[in-house]
Amino acid sequence: MSDAPTCVFCNPNPGDIIEETGHSLALCTADAIKPGHIIIAAREHVTAFEDLNGEQAADLYALAARTAARARAVFGAQKYYTVSIADMVPHFHLHLLPRMPGDAPIG
């Protein structure tokens, strides 16, 4: 992990980690936007998607797809949206956000 001692993804709460790989973490945090909101973060402290190498990007998106499929069944979501902004926490991560039955379509 990184030298960034204050980064929430470099130093995650161990209780928030739901799965981890060599390059990525899946986290379910107390400040989730809604039930089923999951974060997939790169282990290495990189600030943008384009800073990931191919192996890191493949691992991160594979973990995101696996986690969303499992979470979809657990939470009863119709599907999962993915979004990444990383302005508030400058460590590349994806938000997996469930679209629940009855939610308005986006886009």
Side-chain angles (χ1 to χ4, degrees), residues 55-94:
E55 187 177 340
Q56 291 168 316
D59 182 84
L60 187 132
Y61 278 92
L63 178 59
R66 216 171 35 250
T67 302
R70 286 196 315 261
R72 185 175 169 183
V74 169
F75 291 100
Q78 291 178 326
K79 68 178 186 177
Y80 264 83
Y81 298 115
T82 60
V83 65
S84 177
I85 301 167
D87 285 344
M88 299 297 288
V89 180
H91 180 131
F92 183 75
H93 60 284
L94 295 175

Side-chain angles (χ1 to χ4, degrees), residues 4 10 12-13 15 30 35 37 50 62 65 69 85:
C10 287
N13 176 350
H37 171 211
E50 61 273 15
I85 301 167

Side-chain angles (χ1 to χ4, degrees), residues 16-21 24-27 63 66-67 70:
D16 291 347
I17 299 171
I18 56 177
E19 187 176 343
E20 52 190 318
T21 68
S24 310
L25 299 167
L27 305 133
L63 178 59
R66 216 171 35 250
T67 302
R70 286 196 315 261

